[in-house]
Amino acid sequence: MMSREPEMLALTRREFLAVSATSVLIASTGERRAQEKGKPWYATMRRCGQINFNERDPLTMDVNSWADYWASLKVDAVLLNGGGILAFYPTQVPYHHRSEFLGTRDLFGEMTAASKKLNLRVVARMDCNYAYEEAFKAHPEWFERNRDGSPRRHNESNWLYKTCMFSTYFTEQMPAIYREINQRYAVDGFFTNGWPSTGGLTVCHCENCQKVYRDQVGGAPPEQTDATSRLYRKYYDVYMDRVLEVWRLWDQVAKEKMPDSVYVGNLGGGIRAVKDVKRLGEVAGWFNADHQGRSGDTVIWDCAQQGRVAQSVMKGRTITNVTGSYSNSRPTWRHVTKSPAEATLWMAQTTASGMVPWFHWLGGAPEDNRWREVGRSFFNWLAANEPHFRNRRSVADLAVLYPQRTIAFYQSGERGGGGRGVAQSFETSDYLQGLYYALLEGRYFFDFVHQADLTPETLKKYRALLLPNAAYLTDKECEQIRQYAAGGGSLLATFETSRYNEWGDPRRDFALADLFGANVAGALIGPFGNSYMRIEQRHPILRDFEGTALLPGAENRVTIRASEAGPLVLSVVPYYPAFPPEMVFPREPRTDEPAAILRQKGDSRIAYFTGDIDRTFWRSGNTDLGQLIRNSVRWVLGDARQPVSITGEGMAEVFAWETEPGYALHIVNYNNPNMTRGFVRRFYAIGPQQVEFDVAAGKRISSVGALRAGRGLTFKQSDRTVRFEVPSVLDYEVIALM
Ligand SMILES: [Zn+2]
């Protein structure tokens, strides 16, 4: 192979910006126009904003200054309150309640006209979830009921009644309102606040729902998520069918006026989705994540995880993520600005993970205006560098199976064992969270792959697939994983992966026992602290553990039998007391029970851990467990580096995309005392980062620039590999290669 060694190239800031602004646009505009042909307007949207009106806003709202504000953010679209609970225009639809303060105004119409004058698309923001008493009196069948027949009222605004999704409020009243708005105003789409969400199902006892339970479910389902119940399982499918039926209907109604109009529902929930996001992604032309911020001990990367979940089902189609510019902590303050650093890092994760940011404020007459510049400065920077945010595909060669069924339905109560550990809170997402944390520490580049999307077409770009306790898998999914491994793909799996079907019915053995080289041989053991793994022999997954024969053990493990003779690398040292000190010694210091089985067949490497090392890592923060997971990921990747590698100090999340003009490396700096408890107050810059970035064969890179710092970087290309140093990252950096 001929090696090309282009001369060192360093552009000045001005030269680099000139390159960004002109050649990229020239290179991509013609192509984009061709691509945009036949694509709906929202498919190429890069920024949007929302002012959420309140009932009193018609008294004071200055529509032109609001339209000017959104235009100053260079948004493509604004979301404006049309109606639903309250109409902000003089509606003629019966029982569509007009704002008490509307008077002779048409606030929605005025705001739409002002926005259109500035070439902004308008999406009517609706609310289908509540209505007033006049509607309740005229149409009692529209509303949800408790078991005793009483209506459900809003817990704060208790004059509002909760509407039922199975009623004609959703199939007749809301479409009538959409049609009225479509006829009167130049809207480009509709969005519903709060519906359907990705959270748990609600159970209503209205007459419609009783009929659904009688005819389609076979009885009233449990009120809580409980996949052990036959009724719940049936209801889950019936409920999802209804959500999709309503979504499709509303999308059709939106499109009655023009084919590229759209209905977008409200999703979100980060990694903790109960409703089937794969099915939602199949009807959604546009996926909106109402994932506006964090509170309590939620980790900062919660937003990037939202992006990965949404990407796993939208696969490059439009995803927006709402950032609340107000303080949506606990407690919530709707009318004061959130820490600007926190809001900026949330928007950075939004764009790094390939979503479109949606900036949100409530109330038309703010007394706190500090939030305005937070959105404006970030959005203007995005707009100045827009082509580099037009992604074509992720360049990651590592996949994490998004185990939605396990996250939605996994039951800790099914455990055998009888643990002696401390009382535990149980989060079904802890396994994924632990793996995720280790991947961040290892600076790995990875994508989520939804468990219902394990086709060869999806998996072919990945060298390894990681399964963080994917306990609930279908037979078909297991067969697809088997085919992937047979084709040379590598796997890392933990704990109860494939032990149950998709609803949690236990199998006699792991469905993937043949791949793991392990059979279930007894009850689950745990939770127990103070158990260990013994290092039996050297192996690449045990790198950097010189000086110890013991590693911390998982809190819970499956008792297994190895199905074939193989080297014992890590063995289990069972629990012994941690208190009092006199009693702390191993009763069984050495066993031949494997804590891990490591196998290689051709190119396929398989690492199976019998314990919940991922969850134990997350709960304990133990550094050895993090190191063990990182080493194991490296081993299943064939001990070779990924197409992109980045080394340097600091905690950061990294993404790499092939973009319209070339490539982009996104680095989000989490190195912050507020990484695991909000809000971020200020940033702490991380120092030089060394990058190796493989580009397509034959692709010659002519410039590398840091978009946030606004300067060119010195680089060197050798064959496919472009090497450069990123001197520093304050909050977020995007390195554009073209
Ligand atoms: Zn109902």
Side-chain angles (χ1 to χ4, degrees):
M1 291 291 286
M2 250 184 55
S3 158
R4 276 190 306 229
E5 291 277 341
E7 69 282 16
M8 302 289 280
L9 181 61
L11 299 180
T12 64
R13 176 191 164 95
R14 220 180 63 196
E15 283 164 347
F16 180 75
L17 292 178
V19 168
S20 290
T22 55
S23 67
V24 168
L25 287 173
I26 290 162
S28 64
T29 305
E31 197 176 359
R32 190 157 76 243
R33 243 183 244 131
Q35 278 188 349
E36 282 174 2
K37 251 190 191 167
K39 275 194 180 178
W41 67 268
Y42 51 87
T44 52
M45 170 177 65
R46 296 308 316 163
R47 295 166 297 281
C48 60
Q50 179 184 8
I51 167 64
N52 217 328
F53 310 163
N54 62 52
E55 184 167 14
R56 211 171 174 282
D57 276 336
L59 293 181
T60 55
M61 199 155 166
D62 176 351
V63 296
N64 288 316
S65 74
W66 275 106
D68 287 344
Y69 172 71
W70 291 117
S72 80
L73 267 64
K74 301 186 170 62
V75 296
D76 301 295
V78 287
L79 290 108
L80 304 174
N81 300 51
I85 298 177
L86 274 185
F88 288 92
Y89 67 95
T91 179
Q92 300 299 323
V93 175
Y95 312 113
H96 188 205
H97 187 94
R98 287 191 204 184
S99 156
E100 192 188 324
F101 303 96
L102 193 60
T104 57
R105 273 193 96 170
D106 176 352
L107 185 60
F108 177 71
E110 292 170 38
M111 190 75 208
T112 297
S115 305
K116 286 279 161 176
K117 212 181 290 173
L118 299 175
N119 290 320
L120 306 179
R121 297 277 186 169
V122 171
V123 176
R125 178 272 190 203
M126 314 295 292
D127 196 310
C128 54
N129 303 294
Y130 292 92
Y132 274 75
E133 189 165 15
E134 70 239 31
F136 176 71
K137 283 188 169 151
H139 286 281
E141 77 282 6
W142 282 349
F143 294 88
E144 285 197 355
R145 304 288 174 151
N146 295 311
R147 204 176 280 276
D148 66 4
S150 59
R152 291 177 175 161
R153 293 165 182 251
H154 193 280
N155 61 356
E156 264 191 292
S157 302
N158 63 10
W159 53 94
L160 299 176
Y161 293 78
K162 179 89 178 74
T163 54
C164 176
M165 176 185 82
F166 284 94
S167 76
T168 53
Y169 188 83
F170 277 61
T171 49
E172 291 173 14
Q173 177 73 351
M174 288 304 298
I177 297 170
Y178 298 145
R179 287 189 173 107
E180 183 180 63
I181 290 175
N182 242 349
Q183 280 161 12
R184 292 196 196 174
Y185 307 105
V187 295
D188 301 279
F190 293 89
F191 160 70
T192 50
N193 177 56
W195 191 86
S197 95
T198 60
L201 316 183
T202 53
V203 173
C204 161
H205 301 277
C206 77
E207 278 182 33
N208 295 307
C209 287
Q210 287 180 30
K211 186 166 168 14
V212 168
Y213 304 150
R214 210 165 43 235
D215 299 348
Q216 297 181 56
V217 179
E223 310 253 352
Q224 301 297 325
T225 298
D226 178 7
T228 64
S229 157
R230 295 275 150 199
L231 295 177
Y232 177 85
R233 293 180 186 186
K234 189 73 193 149
Y235 184 55
Y236 184 86
D237 288 339
V238 168
Y239 193 103
M240 285 304 306
D241 288 345
R242 176 67 175 181
V243 167
L244 304 187
E245 177 193 348
V246 170
W247 189 306
R248 281 195 199 95
L249 170 68
W250 291 358
D251 195 50
Q252 282 165 16
V253 173
K255 288 175 166 58
E256 282 170 2
K257 187 166 76 177
M258 54 179 196
D260 78 339
S261 184
V262 65
Y263 162 72
V264 54
N266 208 16
L267 303 170
I271 57 173
R272 295 163 210 84
V274 175
K275 297 192 186 91
D276 186 335
V277 289
K278 178 67 167 51
R279 292 193 68 195
L280 288 164
E282 284 162 10
V283 296
W286 162 3
F287 184 117
N288 180 50
D290 188 6
H291 204 58
Q292 301 199 38
R294 61 175 176 152
S295 60
D297 295 334
T298 303
V299 292
I300 185 64
W301 54 83
D302 202 61
C303 179
Q305 288 182 328
Q306 174 68 72
R308 295 181 190 275
V309 170
Q311 293 289 359
S312 79
V313 298
M314 294 301 281
K315 306 181 89 168
R317 294 180 297 129
T318 304
I319 306 164
T320 46
N321 187 71
V322 187
T323 293
S325 61
Y326 60 92
S327 189
N328 59 326
S329 47
R330 205 173 300 133
T332 293
W333 288 278
R334 296 286 216 175
H335 284 163
V336 292
T337 301
K338 178 192 286 176
S339 154
E342 175 82 13
T344 300
L345 214 49
W346 208 254
M347 291 189 285
Q349 292 177 62
T350 301
T351 51
S353 62
M355 301 190 286
V356 170
W358 160 330
F359 194 60
H360 177 210
W361 175 259
L362 272 106
E367 294 188 76
D368 180 348
N369 285 294
R370 295 170 294 174
W371 57 278
R372 290 177 185 268
E373 190 52 30
V374 179
R376 183 155 40 212
S377 62
F378 192 79
F379 275 38
N380 280 332
W381 170 76
L382 286 178
N385 296 286
E386 179 172 321
H388 299 292
F389 293 90
R390 293 187 178 274
N391 298 330
R392 287 201 167 132
R393 60 187 69 85
S394 153
V395 302
D397 62 350
L398 176 62
V400 174
L401 183 140
Y402 176 57
Q404 196 189 340
R405 305 291 293 204
T406 308
I407 285 178
F409 304 135
Y410 193 50
Q411 295 276 335
S412 63
E414 286 173 15
R415 309 280 178 86
R420 222 170 297 178
V422 288
Q424 304 183 29
S425 63
F426 182 77
E427 284 274 353
T428 55
S429 56
D430 280 351
Y431 310 90
L432 176 59
Q433 195 68 276
L435 173 67
Y436 201 97
Y437 186 31
L439 292 173
L440 294 187
E441 287 194 321
R443 298 278 185 88
Y444 284 104
F445 290 83
F446 59 97
D447 300 327
F448 279 3
V449 172
H450 194 279
Q451 73 178 83
D453 181 34
L454 300 176
T455 61
E457 182 61 24
T458 297
L459 291 181
K460 70 181 180 200
K461 66 179 287 229
Y462 301 111
R463 280 153 67 194
L465 175 65
L466 314 181
L467 300 102
N469 190 33
Y472 289 16
L473 293 172
T474 66
D475 290 343
K476 180 186 165 195
E477 288 157 8
C478 292
E479 188 49 39
Q480 289 173 320
I481 293 167
R482 187 172 287 108
Q483 282 172 14
Y484 170 70
S490 293
L491 301 175
L492 184 156
T494 64
F495 195 38
E496 293 207 271
T497 292
S498 82
R499 180 82 173 89
Y500 306 88
N501 74 5
E502 64 273 28
W503 290 113
D505 294 334
R507 296 185 168 111
R508 296 176 60 155
D509 200 350
F510 303 114
L512 298 175
D514 55 330
L515 296 188
F516 297 167
N519 300 102
V520 175
L524 288 179
I525 296 177
F528 284 119
N530 212 47
S531 69
Y532 297 84
M533 295 185 276
R534 178 174 297 285
I535 296 176
E536 298 284 355
Q537 57 177 287
R538 290 287 133 205
H539 189 280
I541 71 161
L542 300 173
R543 216 171 52 164
D544 298 333
F545 290 131
E546 288 74 23
T548 180
L550 287 182
L551 295 179
E555 274 191 294
N556 300 279
R557 72 178 194 276
V558 185
T559 310
I560 60 124
R561 190 183 312 110
S563 56
E564 60 187 43
L568 184 63
V569 173
L570 276 174
S571 63
V572 170
V573 179
Y575 151 87
Y576 47 90
F579 300 95
E582 292 86 339
M583 302 302 146
V584 186
F585 61 93
R587 307 304 192 270
E588 223 184 331
R590 186 152 231 138
T591 70
D592 57 6
E593 181 186 339
I597 295 189
L598 306 158
R599 312 169 84 209
Q600 182 158 8
K601 290 230 161 82
D603 290 337
S604 172
R605 291 179 173 186
I606 298 177
Y608 168 65
F609 289 89
T610 67
D612 58 351
I613 56 167
D614 33 23
R615 175 174 179 269
T616 306
F617 170 50
W618 181 241
R619 285 170 45 78
S620 66
N622 182 284
T623 52
D624 289 340
L625 289 171
Q627 178 76 39
L628 179 65
I629 296 170
R630 297 200 305 274
N631 288 349
S632 301
V633 172
R634 177 183 289 268
W635 182 72
V636 296
L637 281 171
D639 291 316
R641 78 156 170 85
Q642 295 194 269
V644 185
S645 77
I646 171 166
T647 51
E649 288 297 320
M651 184 69 182
E653 184 155 12
V654 290
F655 291 85
W657 300 95
E658 188 185 325
T659 61
E660 286 186 11
Y663 298 89
L665 166 65
H666 295 245
I667 308 166
V668 189
N669 177 7
Y670 297 153
N671 211 54
N672 202 292
N674 297 103
M675 180 175 84
T676 56
R677 185 176 172 83
F679 286 146
V680 168
R681 286 136 170 81
R682 51 157 289 197
F683 301 114
Y684 300 83
I686 53 175
Q689 308 290 317
Q690 308 301 326
V691 179
E692 295 186 330
F693 200 119
D694 293 347
V695 299
K699 169 95 177 169
R700 173 76 190 277
I701 295 299
S702 59
S703 79
V704 175
L707 302 182
R708 205 111 172 101
R711 67 185 213 188
L713 299 182
T714 304
F715 71 98
K716 214 168 188 178
Q717 181 167 7
S718 169
D719 290 331
R720 290 180 54 194
T721 304
V722 181
R723 291 185 177 80
F724 54 91
E725 178 182 281
V726 181
S728 172
V729 178
L730 183 60
D731 52 356
Y732 172 38
E733 189 52 275
V734 180
I735 310 298
L737 292 76
M738 54 184 174

